[in-house]
mmCIF file of all heavy atoms in Angstrom:
data_model
loop_
_atom_site.group_PDB
_atom_site.id
_atom_site.type_symbol
_atom_site.label_atom_id
_atom_site.label_comp_id
_atom_site.label_asym_id
_atom_site.label_seq_id
_atom_site.Cartn_x
_atom_site.Cartn_y
_atom_site.Cartn_z
ATOM 1 N N LEU A 148 136.065 152.589 87.254
ATOM 2 C CA LEU A 148 134.819 153.359 87.163
ATOM 3 C C LEU A 148 134.901 154.440 86.091
ATOM 4 O O LEU A 148 133.920 155.130 85.817
ATOM 5 C CB LEU A 148 134.505 154.009 88.519
ATOM 6 C CG LEU A 148 134.114 153.054 89.654
ATOM 7 C CD1 LEU A 148 134.089 153.799 90.999
ATOM 8 C CD2 LEU A 148 132.768 152.402 89.389
ATOM 9 N N ASP A 149 136.089 154.610 85.533
ATOM 10 C CA ASP A 149 136.348 155.607 84.482
ATOM 11 C C ASP A 149 136.178 157.028 85.004
ATOM 12 O O ASP A 149 135.730 157.921 84.291
ATOM 13 C CB ASP A 149 135.435 155.379 83.273
ATOM 14 C CG ASP A 149 136.120 155.786 81.962
ATOM 15 O OD1 ASP A 149 137.361 155.808 81.926
ATOM 16 O OD2 ASP A 149 135.396 156.081 80.984
ATOM 17 N N ASP A 150 136.563 157.224 86.256
ATOM 18 C CA ASP A 150 136.512 158.558 86.864
ATOM 19 C C ASP A 150 137.905 159.175 86.857
ATOM 20 O O ASP A 150 138.872 158.545 87.305
ATOM 21 C CB ASP A 150 136.005 158.481 88.304
ATOM 22 C CG ASP A 150 134.503 158.240 88.384
ATOM 23 O OD1 ASP A 150 133.823 158.421 87.353
ATOM 24 O OD2 ASP A 150 134.020 157.867 89.471
ATOM 25 N N ASP A 151 137.979 160.395 86.384
ATOM 26 C CA ASP A 151 139.260 161.089 86.353
ATOM 27 C C ASP A 151 139.782 161.325 87.764
ATOM 28 O O ASP A 151 140.983 161.227 88.029
ATOM 29 C CB ASP A 151 139.104 162.428 85.623
ATOM 30 C CG ASP A 151 140.439 163.077 85.320
ATOM 31 O OD1 ASP A 151 141.359 162.361 84.883
ATOM 32 O OD2 ASP A 151 140.558 164.294 85.532
ATOM 33 N N LYS A 152 138.854 161.655 88.680
ATOM 34 C CA LYS A 152 139.214 161.863 90.076
ATOM 35 C C LYS A 152 138.228 161.105 90.966
ATOM 36 O O LYS A 152 137.069 160.907 90.597
ATOM 37 C CB LYS A 152 139.215 163.355 90.433
ATOM 38 C CG LYS A 152 140.307 164.142 89.734
ATOM 39 C CD LYS A 152 140.446 165.548 90.312
ATOM 40 C CE LYS A 152 141.639 166.270 89.690
ATOM 41 N NZ LYS A 152 141.885 167.577 90.330
ATOM 42 N N LEU A 153 138.713 160.710 92.130
ATOM 43 C CA LEU A 153 137.894 159.963 93.079
ATOM 44 C C LEU A 153 136.974 160.904 93.854
ATOM 45 O O LEU A 153 137.416 161.924 94.388
ATOM 46 C CB LEU A 153 138.793 159.211 94.063
ATOM 47 C CG LEU A 153 138.075 158.408 95.158
ATOM 48 C CD1 LEU A 153 137.434 157.162 94.565
ATOM 49 C CD2 LEU A 153 139.058 158.022 96.268
ATOM 50 N N THR A 154 135.706 160.553 93.931
ATOM 51 C CA THR A 154 134.758 161.202 94.835
ATOM 52 C C THR A 154 134.448 160.187 95.933
ATOM 53 O O THR A 154 134.059 159.060 95.644
ATOM 54 C CB THR A 154 133.474 161.614 94.098
ATOM 55 O OG1 THR A 154 133.813 162.472 92.999
ATOM 56 C CG2 THR A 154 132.541 162.365 95.033
ATOM 57 N N TYR A 155 134.589 160.613 97.194
ATOM 58 C CA TYR A 155 134.670 159.623 98.273
ATOM 59 C C TYR A 155 134.057 160.159 99.548
ATOM 60 O O TYR A 155 134.205 161.334 99.895
ATOM 61 C CB TYR A 155 136.153 159.295 98.506
ATOM 62 C CG TYR A 155 136.458 158.383 99.667
ATOM 63 C CD1 TYR A 155 136.302 157.008 99.564
ATOM 64 C CD2 TYR A 155 136.951 158.897 100.871
ATOM 65 C CE1 TYR A 155 136.619 156.165 100.629
ATOM 66 C CE2 TYR A 155 137.269 158.064 101.936
ATOM 67 C CZ TYR A 155 137.094 156.689 101.811
ATOM 68 O OH TYR A 155 137.412 155.873 102.856
ATOM 69 N N PHE A 156 133.368 159.248 100.258
ATOM 70 C CA PHE A 156 132.879 159.528 101.607
ATOM 71 C C PHE A 156 133.388 158.419 102.509
ATOM 72 O O PHE A 156 133.003 157.251 102.351
ATOM 73 C CB PHE A 156 131.351 159.580 101.645
ATOM 74 C CG PHE A 156 130.788 159.949 102.994
ATOM 75 C CD1 PHE A 156 130.362 161.243 103.258
ATOM 76 C CD2 PHE A 156 130.691 159.005 104.009
ATOM 77 C CE1 PHE A 156 129.848 161.586 104.501
ATOM 78 C CE2 PHE A 156 130.191 159.339 105.255
ATOM 79 C CZ PHE A 156 129.772 160.637 105.505
ATOM 80 N N GLY A 157 134.240 158.779 103.466
ATOM 81 C CA GLY A 157 134.782 157.806 104.397
ATOM 82 C C GLY A 157 134.438 158.186 105.820
ATOM 83 O O GLY A 157 134.586 159.349 106.213
ATOM 84 N N ALA A 158 133.968 157.222 106.598
ATOM 85 C CA ALA A 158 133.613 157.458 107.995
ATOM 86 C C ALA A 158 134.575 156.701 108.904
ATOM 87 O O ALA A 158 135.009 155.594 108.584
ATOM 88 C CB ALA A 158 132.178 156.998 108.263
ATOM 89 N N SER A 159 134.920 157.302 110.027
ATOM 90 C CA SER A 159 135.734 156.658 111.048
ATOM 91 C C SER A 159 137.070 156.215 110.457
ATOM 92 O O SER A 159 137.804 157.039 109.913
ATOM 93 C CB SER A 159 134.944 155.496 111.658
ATOM 94 O OG SER A 159 135.492 155.099 112.886
ATOM 95 N N TYR A 160 137.414 154.915 110.542
ATOM 96 C CA TYR A 160 138.655 154.449 109.899
ATOM 97 C C TYR A 160 138.679 154.811 108.419
ATOM 98 O O TYR A 160 139.754 154.986 107.838
ATOM 99 C CB TYR A 160 138.792 152.933 110.074
ATOM 100 C CG TYR A 160 139.758 152.308 109.103
ATOM 101 C CD1 TYR A 160 141.131 152.344 109.335
ATOM 102 C CD2 TYR A 160 139.291 151.706 107.932
ATOM 103 C CE1 TYR A 160 142.017 151.779 108.421
ATOM 104 C CE2 TYR A 160 140.170 151.144 107.023
ATOM 105 C CZ TYR A 160 141.533 151.184 107.266
ATOM 106 O OH TYR A 160 142.412 150.633 106.353
ATOM 107 N N GLY A 161 137.510 154.933 107.800
ATOM 108 C CA GLY A 161 137.457 155.339 106.397
ATOM 109 C C GLY A 161 138.108 156.686 106.148
ATOM 110 O O GLY A 161 138.501 156.995 105.018
ATOM 111 N N THR A 162 138.258 157.510 107.207
ATOM 112 C CA THR A 162 138.966 158.778 107.051
ATOM 113 C C THR A 162 140.468 158.544 106.924
ATOM 114 O O THR A 162 141.155 159.250 106.186
ATOM 115 C CB THR A 162 138.693 159.721 108.235
ATOM 116 O OG1 THR A 162 139.249 159.172 109.445
ATOM 117 C CG2 THR A 162 137.205 159.937 108.437
ATOM 118 N N LYS A 163 140.974 157.558 107.643
ATOM 119 C CA LYS A 163 142.400 157.201 107.497
ATOM 120 C C LYS A 163 142.660 156.666 106.098
ATOM 121 O O LYS A 163 143.657 157.020 105.455
ATOM 122 C CB LYS A 163 142.782 156.162 108.545
ATOM 123 C CG LYS A 163 144.225 155.695 108.455
ATOM 124 C CD LYS A 163 144.538 154.634 109.509
ATOM 125 C CE LYS A 163 145.976 154.131 109.393
ATOM 126 N NZ LYS A 163 146.284 153.095 110.426
ATOM 127 N N LEU A 164 141.749 155.831 105.613
ATOM 128 C CA LEU A 164 141.873 155.304 104.261
ATOM 129 C C LEU A 164 141.821 156.421 103.233
ATOM 130 O O LEU A 164 142.617 156.462 102.290
ATOM 131 C CB LEU A 164 140.761 154.286 104.017
ATOM 132 C CG LEU A 164 140.722 153.597 102.657
ATOM 133 C CD1 LEU A 164 142.018 152.851 102.381
ATOM 134 C CD2 LEU A 164 139.529 152.634 102.584
ATOM 135 N N GLY A 165 140.886 157.361 103.414
ATOM 136 C CA GLY A 165 140.764 158.472 102.481
ATOM 137 C C GLY A 165 141.964 159.403 102.517
ATOM 138 O O GLY A 165 142.439 159.877 101.474
ATOM 139 N N ALA A 166 142.459 159.707 103.714
ATOM 140 C CA ALA A 166 143.643 160.568 103.834
ATOM 141 C C ALA A 166 144.856 159.908 103.203
ATOM 142 O O ALA A 166 145.684 160.570 102.556
ATOM 143 C CB ALA A 166 143.907 160.881 105.303
ATOM 144 N N THR A 167 144.978 158.591 103.388
ATOM 145 C CA THR A 167 146.083 157.855 102.772
ATOM 146 C C THR A 167 145.981 157.919 101.261
ATOM 147 O O THR A 167 146.991 158.115 100.556
ATOM 148 C CB THR A 167 146.081 156.393 103.257
ATOM 149 O OG1 THR A 167 146.193 156.371 104.681
ATOM 150 C CG2 THR A 167 147.233 155.613 102.650
ATOM 151 N N TYR A 168 144.768 157.763 100.738
ATOM 152 C CA TYR A 168 144.570 157.862 99.293
ATOM 153 C C TYR A 168 144.978 159.245 98.780
ATOM 154 O O TYR A 168 145.706 159.357 97.780
ATOM 155 C CB TYR A 168 143.113 157.588 98.912
ATOM 156 C CG TYR A 168 142.885 157.714 97.418
ATOM 157 C CD1 TYR A 168 143.081 156.622 96.593
ATOM 158 C CD2 TYR A 168 142.536 158.935 96.849
ATOM 159 C CE1 TYR A 168 142.923 156.737 95.214
ATOM 160 C CE2 TYR A 168 142.378 159.057 95.475
ATOM 161 C CZ TYR A 168 142.577 157.962 94.661
ATOM 162 O OH TYR A 168 142.443 158.085 93.304
ATOM 163 N N ALA A 169 144.510 160.291 99.449
ATOM 164 C CA ALA A 169 144.813 161.649 98.998
ATOM 165 C C ALA A 169 146.311 161.920 99.027
ATOM 166 O O ALA A 169 146.826 162.686 98.205
ATOM 167 C CB ALA A 169 144.079 162.664 99.866
ATOM 168 N N ASP A 170 147.017 161.300 99.960
ATOM 169 C CA ASP A 170 148.461 161.490 100.045
ATOM 170 C C ASP A 170 149.190 160.703 98.962
ATOM 171 O O ASP A 170 150.179 161.185 98.394
ATOM 172 C CB ASP A 170 148.941 161.049 101.423
ATOM 173 C CG ASP A 170 150.343 161.526 101.744
ATOM 174 O OD1 ASP A 170 150.561 162.756 101.748
ATOM 175 O OD2 ASP A 170 151.227 160.679 101.979
ATOM 176 N N LEU A 171 148.710 159.488 98.671
ATOM 177 C CA LEU A 171 149.339 158.661 97.637
ATOM 178 C C LEU A 171 149.019 159.158 96.225
ATOM 179 O O LEU A 171 149.868 159.101 95.332
ATOM 180 C CB LEU A 171 148.861 157.211 97.769
ATOM 181 C CG LEU A 171 149.407 156.367 98.915
ATOM 182 C CD1 LEU A 171 148.632 155.057 99.004
ATOM 183 C CD2 LEU A 171 150.891 156.089 98.719
ATOM 184 N N PHE A 172 147.796 159.644 96.030
ATOM 185 C CA PHE A 172 147.325 160.019 94.697
ATOM 186 C C PHE A 172 146.702 161.419 94.715
ATOM 187 O O PHE A 172 145.509 161.578 94.420
ATOM 188 C CB PHE A 172 146.295 158.997 94.200
ATOM 189 C CG PHE A 172 146.778 157.579 94.187
ATOM 190 C CD1 PHE A 172 146.419 156.703 95.207
ATOM 191 C CD2 PHE A 172 147.594 157.118 93.174
ATOM 192 C CE1 PHE A 172 146.860 155.394 95.211
ATOM 193 C CE2 PHE A 172 148.047 155.801 93.160
ATOM 194 C CZ PHE A 172 147.684 154.936 94.179
ATOM 195 N N PRO A 173 147.458 162.448 95.060
ATOM 196 C CA PRO A 173 146.856 163.782 95.171
ATOM 197 C C PRO A 173 146.245 164.278 93.863
ATOM 198 O O PRO A 173 145.222 164.965 93.873
ATOM 199 C CB PRO A 173 148.037 164.652 95.617
ATOM 200 C CG PRO A 173 149.260 163.898 95.224
ATOM 201 C CD PRO A 173 148.898 162.459 95.360
ATOM 202 N N GLU A 174 146.843 163.900 92.732
ATOM 203 C CA GLU A 174 146.321 164.360 91.450
ATOM 204 C C GLU A 174 145.034 163.653 91.067
ATOM 205 O O GLU A 174 144.298 164.109 90.188
ATOM 206 C CB GLU A 174 147.379 164.166 90.357
ATOM 207 C CG GLU A 174 147.584 162.736 89.907
ATOM 208 C CD GLU A 174 148.363 161.865 90.902
ATOM 209 O OE1 GLU A 174 148.847 162.399 91.929
ATOM 210 O OE2 GLU A 174 148.470 160.646 90.646
ATOM 211 N N ARG A 175 144.734 162.543 91.728
ATOM 212 C CA ARG A 175 143.502 161.798 91.469
ATOM 213 C C ARG A 175 142.477 162.019 92.569
ATOM 214 O O ARG A 175 141.387 161.438 92.525
ATOM 215 C CB ARG A 175 143.810 160.302 91.361
ATOM 216 C CG ARG A 175 144.723 159.925 90.198
ATOM 217 C CD ARG A 175 144.093 160.289 88.884
ATOM 218 N NE ARG A 175 144.829 159.715 87.749
ATOM 219 C CZ ARG A 175 144.571 160.000 86.490
ATOM 220 N NH1 ARG A 175 143.596 160.852 86.184
ATOM 221 N NH2 ARG A 175 145.262 159.450 85.518
ATOM 222 N N SER A 176 142.799 162.829 93.541
ATOM 223 C CA SER A 176 141.930 163.064 94.684
ATOM 224 C C SER A 176 140.980 164.212 94.373
ATOM 225 O O SER A 176 141.399 165.356 94.216
ATOM 226 C CB SER A 176 142.787 163.391 95.917
ATOM 227 O OG SER A 176 141.991 163.657 97.032
ATOM 228 N N GLY A 177 139.679 163.901 94.276
ATOM 229 C CA GLY A 177 138.682 164.911 93.952
ATOM 230 C C GLY A 177 137.977 165.411 95.193
ATOM 231 O O GLY A 177 138.593 165.963 96.098
ATOM 232 N N ARG A 178 136.684 165.176 95.269
ATOM 233 C CA ARG A 178 135.890 165.616 96.416
ATOM 234 C C ARG A 178 135.874 164.501 97.465
ATOM 235 O O ARG A 178 135.220 163.490 97.276
ATOM 236 C CB ARG A 178 134.480 165.979 95.967
ATOM 237 C CG ARG A 178 134.458 167.018 94.861
ATOM 238 C CD ARG A 178 133.073 167.192 94.258
ATOM 239 N NE ARG A 178 133.141 167.994 93.044
ATOM 240 C CZ ARG A 178 132.117 168.211 92.211
ATOM 241 N NH1 ARG A 178 130.929 167.670 92.487
ATOM 242 N NH2 ARG A 178 132.275 168.942 91.137
ATOM 243 N N LEU A 179 136.583 164.717 98.546
ATOM 244 C CA LEU A 179 136.709 163.727 99.604
ATOM 245 C C LEU A 179 136.148 164.270 100.907
ATOM 246 O O LEU A 179 136.530 165.360 101.333
ATOM 247 C CB LEU A 179 138.171 163.322 99.815
ATOM 248 C CG LEU A 179 138.746 162.177 98.969
ATOM 249 C CD1 LEU A 179 138.688 162.503 97.475
ATOM 250 C CD2 LEU A 179 140.184 161.883 99.373
ATOM 251 N N VAL A 180 135.247 163.507 101.526
ATOM 252 C CA VAL A 180 134.721 163.841 102.849
ATOM 253 C C VAL A 180 135.248 162.803 103.839
ATOM 254 O O VAL A 180 135.063 161.605 103.647
ATOM 255 C CB VAL A 180 133.177 163.845 102.865
ATOM 256 C CG1 VAL A 180 132.659 164.039 104.284
ATOM 257 C CG2 VAL A 180 132.638 164.940 101.947
ATOM 258 N N LEU A 181 135.895 163.286 104.894
ATOM 259 C CA LEU A 181 136.460 162.425 105.932
ATOM 260 C C LEU A 181 135.714 162.736 107.222
ATOM 261 O O LEU A 181 136.001 163.723 107.895
ATOM 262 C CB LEU A 181 137.965 162.677 106.076
ATOM 263 C CG LEU A 181 138.773 162.667 104.768
ATOM 264 C CD1 LEU A 181 140.248 162.907 105.056
ATOM 265 C CD2 LEU A 181 138.581 161.361 104.007
ATOM 266 N N ASP A 182 134.760 161.884 107.573
ATOM 267 C CA ASP A 182 133.805 162.155 108.655
ATOM 268 C C ASP A 182 134.076 161.246 109.857
ATOM 269 O O ASP A 182 134.046 160.021 109.744
ATOM 270 C CB ASP A 182 132.383 161.923 108.136
ATOM 271 C CG ASP A 182 131.317 162.330 109.136
ATOM 272 O OD1 ASP A 182 131.664 162.921 110.182
ATOM 273 O OD2 ASP A 182 130.129 162.061 108.873
ATOM 274 N N GLY A 183 134.294 161.861 111.023
ATOM 275 C CA GLY A 183 134.682 161.097 112.204
ATOM 276 C C GLY A 183 136.155 160.766 112.102
ATOM 277 O O GLY A 183 136.555 159.606 112.078
ATOM 278 N N ALA A 184 136.979 161.811 112.055
ATOM 279 C CA ALA A 184 138.357 161.677 111.589
ATOM 280 C C ALA A 184 139.280 160.981 112.582
ATOM 281 O O ALA A 184 139.204 161.199 113.792
ATOM 282 C CB ALA A 184 138.921 163.056 111.243
ATOM 283 N N VAL A 185 140.180 160.179 112.030
ATOM 284 C CA VAL A 185 141.265 159.554 112.775
ATOM 285 C C VAL A 185 142.508 160.420 112.610
ATOM 286 O O VAL A 185 142.857 160.804 111.491
ATOM 287 C CB VAL A 185 141.546 158.133 112.261
ATOM 288 C CG1 VAL A 185 142.740 157.522 112.998
ATOM 289 C CG2 VAL A 185 140.317 157.252 112.410
ATOM 290 N N ASP A 186 143.168 160.723 113.705
ATOM 291 C CA ASP A 186 144.425 161.471 113.647
ATOM 292 C C ASP A 186 145.533 160.497 113.261
ATOM 293 O O ASP A 186 145.969 159.678 114.072
ATOM 294 C CB ASP A 186 144.712 162.112 115.006
ATOM 295 C CG ASP A 186 145.952 162.997 114.991
ATOM 296 O OD1 ASP A 186 146.741 162.911 114.024
ATOM 297 O OD2 ASP A 186 146.146 163.763 115.958
ATOM 298 N N VAL A 187 145.985 160.581 112.018
ATOM 299 C CA VAL A 187 146.941 159.603 111.495
ATOM 300 C C VAL A 187 148.350 159.800 112.042
ATOM 301 O O VAL A 187 149.234 158.981 111.773
ATOM 302 C CB VAL A 187 146.971 159.656 109.953
ATOM 303 C CG1 VAL A 187 145.634 159.223 109.377
ATOM 304 C CG2 VAL A 187 147.350 161.052 109.453
ATOM 305 N N SER A 188 148.569 160.851 112.831
ATOM 306 C CA SER A 188 149.904 161.107 113.363
ATOM 307 C C SER A 188 150.122 160.496 114.744
ATOM 308 O O SER A 188 151.246 160.485 115.250
ATOM 309 C CB SER A 188 150.151 162.620 113.453
ATOM 310 O OG SER A 188 149.381 163.208 114.490
ATOM 311 N N LEU A 189 149.076 159.965 115.374
ATOM 312 C CA LEU A 189 149.173 159.527 116.764
ATOM 313 C C LEU A 189 149.784 158.138 116.895
ATOM 314 O O LEU A 189 149.632 157.279 116.015
ATOM 315 C CB LEU A 189 147.785 159.525 117.408
ATOM 316 C CG LEU A 189 147.079 160.869 117.534
ATOM 317 C CD1 LEU A 189 145.741 160.687 118.234
ATOM 318 C CD2 LEU A 189 147.936 161.873 118.280
ATOM 319 N N THR A 190 150.434 157.904 118.021
ATOM 320 C CA THR A 190 150.920 156.575 118.357
ATOM 321 C C THR A 190 149.753 155.717 118.825
ATOM 322 O O THR A 190 148.651 156.221 119.112
ATOM 323 C CB THR A 190 151.964 156.640 119.476
ATOM 324 O OG1 THR A 190 151.324 157.120 120.677
ATOM 325 C CG2 THR A 190 153.113 157.575 119.112
ATOM 326 N N SER A 191 149.983 154.410 118.932
ATOM 327 C CA SER A 191 148.911 153.520 119.383
ATOM 328 C C SER A 191 148.459 153.878 120.793
ATOM 329 O O SER A 191 147.260 153.818 121.102
ATOM 330 C CB SER A 191 149.367 152.063 119.322
ATOM 331 O OG SER A 191 150.531 151.864 120.109
ATOM 332 N N LYS A 192 149.386 154.292 121.653
ATOM 333 C CA LYS A 192 149.003 154.679 123.003
ATOM 334 C C LYS A 192 148.156 155.946 122.982
ATOM 335 O O LYS A 192 147.144 156.044 123.695
ATOM 336 C CB LYS A 192 150.236 154.895 123.874
ATOM 337 C CG LYS A 192 149.888 155.304 125.309
ATOM 338 C CD LYS A 192 151.128 155.533 126.168
ATOM 339 C CE LYS A 192 150.744 155.954 127.582
ATOM 340 N NZ LYS A 192 151.929 156.212 128.436
ATOM 341 N N GLU A 193 148.540 156.906 122.179
ATOM 342 C CA GLU A 193 147.777 158.154 122.094
ATOM 343 C C GLU A 193 146.377 157.903 121.546
ATOM 344 O O GLU A 193 145.403 158.513 122.004
ATOM 345 C CB GLU A 193 148.528 159.158 121.224
ATOM 346 C CG GLU A 193 149.794 159.698 121.873
ATOM 347 C CD GLU A 193 150.680 160.470 120.914
ATOM 348 O OE1 GLU A 193 150.611 160.206 119.690
ATOM 349 O OE2 GLU A 193 151.464 161.318 121.385
ATOM 350 N N LEU A 194 146.263 157.004 120.567
ATOM 351 C CA LEU A 194 144.949 156.650 120.052
ATOM 352 C C LEU A 194 144.092 155.997 121.134
ATOM 353 O O LEU A 194 142.906 156.309 121.283
ATOM 354 C CB LEU A 194 145.093 155.707 118.858
ATOM 355 C CG LEU A 194 145.636 156.310 117.562
ATOM 356 C CD1 LEU A 194 146.005 155.205 116.583
ATOM 357 C CD2 LEU A 194 144.636 157.263 116.934
ATOM 358 N N SER A 195 144.703 155.098 121.909
ATOM 359 C CA SER A 195 143.957 154.410 122.969
ATOM 360 C C SER A 195 143.502 155.383 124.050
ATOM 361 O O SER A 195 142.366 155.307 124.529
ATOM 362 C CB SER A 195 144.825 153.313 123.583
ATOM 363 O OG SER A 195 145.104 152.303 122.638
#
């Protein structure tokens, strides 16, 4: 897209995807909205 930084809106699981992106590519992470957030630190049982 020829964007220097990513502008992103992620909902639900899209927040996990967005958080993963920001962690992998912090220098490319621009304006990110993570709406309906998933706690990426939880175990499968804790999520359930």
